[in-house]
Amino acid sequence: MNVVEINDVYKTYHDTEVEVRAVNGVTLSFTKGDFAVIVGPSGSGKTTLLNLIGGLDQPTTGEIIVAGHRLSELKPSELIDFRMEHVGFVFQSYNLIPVLTAAENVGFIMSLQKWPKEKRMARTGELLEAVGLADRHNSRPSQLSGGQQQRVAVARALAPRPEFILADEPTANLDSKSAETLLDIMEKLNREEEMTFIFSTHDARVMKRARRVITLEDGKVVSDERTNHRE
Amino acid sequence: MITSIAWKNVWRNRTRSLTVIAAVTVGVFASVFALAAINSSIVQRIDSAVNEELSHIQVNTKEFRSSSDILNIISEPDKVAETLRKTPGVTDVTGRIIVRGIASAPSGSAGVEITGIDIEKEKQMFTLSGKLIPGTGSYFGADTKLNSAFIGEKLARELQIIRYILTAESLTALVDKGVPSAVTDRLKPLEGQRFTTEKKLTEAYYRLLTPKEIKKYGLAIREAAWSYREGSRVILSFLDVNGNQTGAAYRICGIFRTNNDLFEATSVFVPMEELRRLTGLEDGVYHRFIARLEENDMTDRVTPVLKEALPGLEVMNWKEIQVDLAMIADYINQIYAIFMVLILAALSFGIVNTMLMAVLERTRELGMLSAVGMNRRRIFLMIMLESVFLSVVGGFTGMAVSGIVIGITNHTGINLVKYSEGLEAFGYSAHLYPTIGADFFIILTVLIVITGILSAVYPARKALQLNPVEALRGE
Ligand SMILES: Nc1ncnc2c1ncn2[C@@H]1O[C@H](COP(=O)(O)OP(=O)(O)O)[C@@H](O)[C@H]1O
Ligand SMILES: [Mg+2]
C-alpha cells in the first residue's frame, strides 16, 4: 500500500535571475513501513522534496498524493490540518517549544488534535520510554542535549500516529554517538510501530542504516536502491 | 494548552516583560494618580465654592451685580421667597442685605462687601462657620453683640489685625515641634518684637538663619508667630439709603480661613439687624435670596425653572457665577478622556513594540509550530493572549498601585502648603485628597483589556505572515 505517491513533480524557484529547478521531474512512491533515506549533496533538492511531501510547499507541476489526499487540491488552511493529522516532522533544529517540558512537547500535537488527557499522558509516557527519556519528563529543552532533543522531537512526531515521519537531516547537528542512538530508536519504532520514516541526510553513517536509499542530484532521482542489510 | 503556552512565553524574556510591565505600571499609575489629584482639587474647589461661598442659586435684581446702589432691592420679596421655597428641589432659602463699603483698622483699610445675614439660618446653609481659625473667637458666639463681624484671614492680614510675634512660649512650642534649639536660639533676638506683616517677619528671620533652615522651618516659624488679639475692632463705612456716609465700629468675633483668597479678602459678615438700622433698609427688604438644593446635580435642572418663575430678577447658579469653575467642572470629563487616551496610547505603544520583537525573535519557532500543524487561528490566538497577558498584568498592577496610593493619600492628604501660594490665590486647596470615581476605574480597566487586545492584532498578524518553509530554512 502506497503511503506517498509522487508523480512527475517539478519545483522551480524564480527568486534570482536564473530559474532554479530544485526538484526536477521526480516520480517516487513510498509504502507503509518504509525506512527510506534521501541522499545527495547540498543543494540537490532534498529539503525541497521533503517539504513537498509534507505539504509545507506546493509543487510547480506534478501531483503528490498522501494517504489519499491530492495535496494540490488542498487550501493553505487545509494543508495545515493535513500536516497535523497525517505527517510527523523532525527538523534539523528548533524542533521543540522551549517553554514546555519534554513531556508537554511530546503531547503537543496530540493536544492540538484534542486527545483526552489520560490517553495523551499514557502515550507520552510510552514514547518517552521508547526514546530512552523516561526520566526526563519534566526537563525543558534547554536542559537536554542535542541528541535528547531530537529524540523528544521523534517522540512528538510519532505520538499522534501519523501516516509517516519526515526528518530533514535529523542528525546533522549531532555527534556520531547521538546520531547512532537516534537511528537505533527510529529503526526500533519503524519495526515496533510499523512507522514509515522518510529522512534525508548527506551523512554516510546514516545512509548505511536505511533499507532504501534514494539518491538525488540536481533535483533528479539518480538511483533508488533497496538494501536488505537488516533482514 | 495555548493559554498556558502563551502565559509561559510572556515569562520567557523575563527582563523584557518585566520592563514593559513596569513601564505600563508606572504609566498607568502616574496618569491615574495625577488625574485623581486634579480631580480632588477640583472637587474640593467646587465643594468650597458651593458650601462656603455661593450655595447653589442666587437671586437678585438684574442691576445688582453691576451697580453698588443700595436701592437695588428685590421687589415683592415675600413672594419671591415663597416661590423659591415652593420650587421642587429647593431645601433652604435665606435672604441677605449687601452693601459695598470700606473696612478700616488703625493700620490699614480695604474695600469690602458687607453682608448682613440671618446668623442661624446661614449656619445651616453654609459650612463657613466651621472654617473659623481656632483661637480667633467664634462664629457669632453666645456673647455676640449686634456689632460683631466675621471676616476672612486675608482681610485680617490686610488690616493688620493679625500680627506676628515670637513670644517665649511660641519659641518653646517650636522646639516641641522638632525645630532644633540651635535654630530657636538664633531667633531669640526677635522675641517679643511685633511684625505687622508676614513679610516683615520673614525678612527678620532671613537675616538670622541659613537658607536651608529657612526652607525647612520657615513655615513652622510663621505659624508659631501668627498671633491675633481677640476683640480687635474694625470700622465699617458705607452709604445709607439716603446716600449719606454712615458706619460703625465692629468687634471682630471670629476669623475664617478658606482656600479662596479673594473671598477671604473681601467678605465681611455681620448680623442683619444692625446693618438694617445703620443703612435704613427696612425689615423684610433684601438684596439677594440664596437657595440651597437637595443635591448639586439638580442645579442645572432647577435653575431654568426658577428663571422662568422669576422673570424680572437675575437668577444665577454657582456655575454661572463662577464660570471658570463651571467650565473646569464640565471639562473634567474631557480631562478624563485625555488622560485615558494618554494611558492607553502608552500601553499600546509598549505592547506593540514588545510583541513585534517577540514575534520576530521567534520566527523559526513559529515556523515550526505552523509546520507541525498549529493552525493560523491558534497561532493568532497565542500571540493575542501573550499581548493581553502583558497589558493586563501591567495595567492591573498600575491600577492596583494607583488604587492603594490614592486610598492612602485620600486619608492622609498631600500637603502642598510649601508650594501653595499660587494655588490658594485661585481658590484651590493646598491640601489634596486624591479621589477618583469607581466608574473611572472600571472603565479604564475594561479599556486596558480592549487596548491590549487591539495592540496585539498587528504583531499577531505579523506572525501569520510567516511562511513556515522560509522560517525554517537556513538550518
Ligand atoms: N525559497 C527558495 N528560493 C530560491 N531558491 C531556493 C529556495 N529553496 C531552495 N532553493 C534552491 O533549490 C535548490 C535545492 O535546495 P534544497 O532543497 O534546500 O537542497 P538540499 O536540502 O538538498 O540542500 C538549491 O539550489 C537552493 O538554492
Ligand atoms: Mg536541506
Side-chain angles (χ1 to χ4, degrees):
Chain A
M1 191 189 91
N2 284 347
V3 185
V4 180
E5 277 180 43
I6 304 167
N7 285 323
D8 201 22
V9 162
Y10 289 80
K11 178 70 183 180
T12 317
Y13 289 110
H14 300 278
D15 286 8
T16 49
E17 300 280 290
V18 284
E19 123 181 331
V20 178
R21 294 193 172 180
V23 172
N24 193 5
V26 169
T27 300
L28 269 179
S29 61
F30 295 93
T31 50
K32 184 141 185 64
D34 258 353
F35 197 69
V37 63
I38 299 173
V39 300
S42 184
S44 57
K46 305 182 293 292
T47 299
T48 308
L49 183 60
L50 288 181
N51 285 347
L52 293 174
I53 300 172
L56 283 168
D57 216 348
Q58 291 282 18
T60 312
T61 60
E63 190 72 76
I64 297 174
I65 303 166
V66 174
H69 295 270
R70 278 175 199 279
L71 298 192
S72 58
E73 287 170 0
L74 299 181
K75 287 183 282 190
S77 65
E78 291 170 334
L79 268 180
I80 299 178
D81 288 341
F82 159 82
R83 296 199 293 265
M84 175 183 76
E85 277 162 30
H86 301 291
V87 191
F89 286 95
V90 177
F91 303 102
Q92 189 178 314
S93 55
Y94 298 101
N95 269 301
L96 303 181
I97 301 169
V99 295
L100 299 185
T101 63
E104 287 165 340
N105 266 291
V106 172
F108 180 67
I109 295 168
M110 292 187 281
S111 67
L112 288 184
Q113 294 183 2
K114 304 209 164 78
W115 284 41
K117 194 168 180 207
E118 308 79 59
K119 272 181 80 182
R120 202 171 72 212
M121 304 260 278
R123 179 79 172 142
T124 301
E126 177 187 317
L127 282 167
L128 279 174
E129 174 93 55
V131 298
L133 293 172
D135 54 341
R136 305 308 295 267
H137 271 250
N138 295 320
S139 303
R140 292 283 172 94
S142 58
Q143 298 164 327
L144 299 172
S145 71
Q148 290 171 326
Q149 290 182 31
Q150 289 304 71
R151 277 139 67 188
V152 174
V154 169
R156 178 191 63 194
L158 196 71
R161 304 183 207 281
E163 292 319 313
F164 56 88
I165 289 177
L166 293 177
D168 190 9
E169 310 212 24
T171 60
N173 290 342
L174 303 185
D175 59 66
S176 32
K177 191 158 170 288
S178 305
E180 287 295 329
T181 316
L182 187 69
L183 282 161
D184 288 342
I185 287 167
M186 285 164 63
E187 231 167 33
K188 184 182 76 175
L189 293 169
N190 170 251
R191 227 179 318 117
E192 290 173 1
E193 299 233 353
E194 274 193 90
M195 180 51 60
T196 312
F197 278 88
I198 305 170
F199 53 105
S200 73
T201 191
H202 54 249
D203 181 343
R205 295 166 305 181
V206 179
M207 233 179 300
K208 282 202 303 256
R209 307 285 297 266
R211 290 203 305 280
R212 181 178 173 192
V213 179
I214 297 158
T215 311
L216 279 188
E217 246 170 56
D218 295 332
K220 286 195 167 86
V221 177
V222 292
S223 77
D224 184 354
E225 291 165 10
R226 288 175 194 270
T227 59
N228 288 320
H229 72 262
R230 279 204 63 85
E231 275 84 4
Chain B
M1 182 71 181
I2 306 240
T3 318
S4 109
I5 295 179
W7 176 250
K8 287 170 181 164
N9 278 337
V10 169
W11 300 108
R12 226 161 130 157
N13 193 330
R14 213 171 281 260
T15 325
R16 182 167 69 204
S17 296
L18 284 178
T19 311
V20 177
I21 289 169
V24 170
T25 303
V26 170
V28 169
F29 167 71
S31 319
V32 171
F33 191 70
L35 185 57
I38 293 173
N39 190 38
S40 116
S41 84
I42 293 171
V43 167
Q44 279 183 61
R45 176 72 193 97
I46 291 173
D47 200 66
S48 50
V50 169
N51 295 322
E52 294 164 9
E53 302 163 27
L54 305 172
S55 198
H56 295 115
I57 295 177
Q58 301 193 344
V59 178
N60 41 254
T61 66
K62 295 201 158 145
E63 300 79 30
F64 185 79
R65 274 175 213 276
S66 52
S67 120
S68 58
D69 192 339
I70 193 168
L71 292 174
N72 276 324
I73 51 171
I74 294 172
S75 48
E76 299 189 285
D78 293 344
K79 254 186 165 173
V80 173
E82 195 55 23
T83 308
L84 285 170
R85 271 188 206 101
K86 281 196 170 146
T87 303
V90 175
T91 53
D92 255 324
V93 177
T94 190
R96 284 176 169 183
I97 55 175
I98 302 163
V99 295
R100 280 82 165 192
I102 292 173
S104 39
S107 39
S109 67
V112 291
E113 191 171 84
I114 303 149
T115 305
I117 58 171
D118 177 338
I119 290 161
E120 284 315 308
K121 190 87 196 167
E122 298 241 348
K123 193 172 176 177
Q124 290 164 23
M125 288 175 63
F126 289 91
T127 55
L128 195 63
S129 57
K131 300 289 158 182
L132 177 85
I133 301 173
T136 61
S138 65
Y139 171 80
F140 303 106
D143 61 335
T144 300
K145 309 245 165 34
L146 282 180
N147 60 345
S148 295
F150 192 57
I151 69 169
E153 186 185 12
K154 182 93 180 165
L155 180 61
R157 281 176 202 242
E158 274 170 33
L159 299 178
Q160 299 190 3
I161 288 164
I162 288 171
R163 297 149 310 171
Y164 296 85
I165 307 171
L166 278 172
T167 58
E169 297 93 74
S170 55
L171 285 176
T172 328
L174 273 176
V175 177
D176 292 343
K177 267 194 185 166
V179 178
S181 44
V183 174
T184 53
D185 283 350
R186 263 180 292 144
L187 291 172
K188 273 266 153 51
L190 303 183
E191 194 183 305
Q193 281 188 52
R194 196 199 263 204
F195 299 96
T196 47
T197 65
E198 195 173 285
K199 199 168 163 233
K200 284 182 186 157
L201 168 74
T202 317
E203 277 165 6
Y205 70 66
Y206 256 61
R207 276 180 252 121
L208 300 173
L209 303 180
T210 66
K212 213 168 166 188
E213 288 164 341
I214 291 164
K215 211 169 156 207
K216 214 161 162 197
Y217 307 116
L219 186 68
I221 294 169
R222 291 199 297 277
E223 271 175 4
W226 194 96
S227 97
Y228 162 74
R229 200 159 45 84
E230 248 185 87
S232 292
R233 280 171 193 278
V234 58
I235 311 282
L236 298 179
S237 43
F238 39 83
L239 298 180
D240 68 11
V241 284
N242 300 318
N244 295 327
Q245 186 76 32
T246 177
Y250 276 76
R251 193 178 64 89
I252 292 167
C253 66
I255 297 177
F256 61 85
R257 178 183 286 163
T258 67
N259 296 319
N260 189 343
D261 280 355
L262 186 66
F263 177 67
E264 264 187 28
T266 56
S267 309
V268 174
F269 293 94
V270 299
M272 181 126 50
E273 301 80 354
E274 173 75 354
L275 194 59
R276 281 192 192 287
R277 198 181 59 73
L278 289 168
T279 52
L281 287 165
E282 283 166 27
D283 266 6
V285 162
Y286 293 100
H287 288 115
R288 174 174 287 162
F289 282 111
I290 288 178
R292 189 163 178 88
L293 305 180
E294 258 165 62
E295 276 181 61
N296 189 20
D297 291 352
M298 301 171 119
T299 308
D300 289 337
R301 225 171 338 117
V302 177
T303 311
V305 176
L306 285 177
K307 281 189 175 162
E308 185 147 348
L310 303 168
L313 293 170
E314 180 189 76
V315 176
M316 277 177 112
N317 61 35
W318 67 266
K319 293 182 181 183
E320 292 164 318
I321 298 166
Q322 290 256 323
V323 182
D324 56 333
L325 196 56
M327 230 159 69
I328 295 171
D330 288 343
Y331 277 117
I332 186 84
N333 283 330
Q334 270 105 312
I335 297 175
Y336 272 31
I338 290 169
F339 268 88
M340 284 207 199
V341 168
L342 284 179
I343 297 170
L344 298 175
L347 176 72
S348 154
F349 186 77
I351 300 300
V352 170
N353 259 309
T354 314
M355 288 312 298
L356 265 185
M357 226 191 284
V359 166
L360 295 179
E361 245 172 33
R362 281 176 11 220
T363 303
R364 288 187 176 194
E365 186 182 322
L366 291 167
M368 179 272 292
L369 289 172
S370 162
V372 301
M374 187 159 167
N375 64 28
R376 292 163 61 84
R377 195 182 57 80
R378 284 166 161 157
I379 289 182
F380 191 80
L381 186 69
M382 180 177 80
I383 303 293
M384 293 290 281
L385 282 172
E386 286 181 34
S387 320
V388 171
F389 287 149
L390 259 187
S391 45
V392 165
V393 171
F396 284 2
T397 317
M399 300 294 275
V401 173
S402 314
I404 291 166
V405 177
I406 291 172
I408 292 169
T409 51
N410 184 260
H411 278 283
T412 60
I414 303 172
N415 191 340
L416 293 179
V417 169
K418 279 187 197 158
Y419 325 95
S420 73
E421 264 148 52
L423 280 177
E424 295 213 327
F426 293 105
Y428 291 91
S429 169
H431 288 86
L432 294 182
Y433 296 90
T435 162
I436 201 131
D439 48 349
F440 176 83
F441 255 75
I442 294 165
I443 293 171
L444 189 58
T445 307
V446 171
L447 286 179
I448 284 175
V449 176
I450 294 174
T451 308
I453 293 172
L454 292 181
S455 315
V457 171
Y458 180 61
R461 287 179 64 107
K462 264 275 181 280
L464 290 187
Q465 284 161 12
L466 296 174
N467 171 349
V469 179
E470 298 297 329
L472 285 164
R473 189 170 287 282
E475 286 180 356

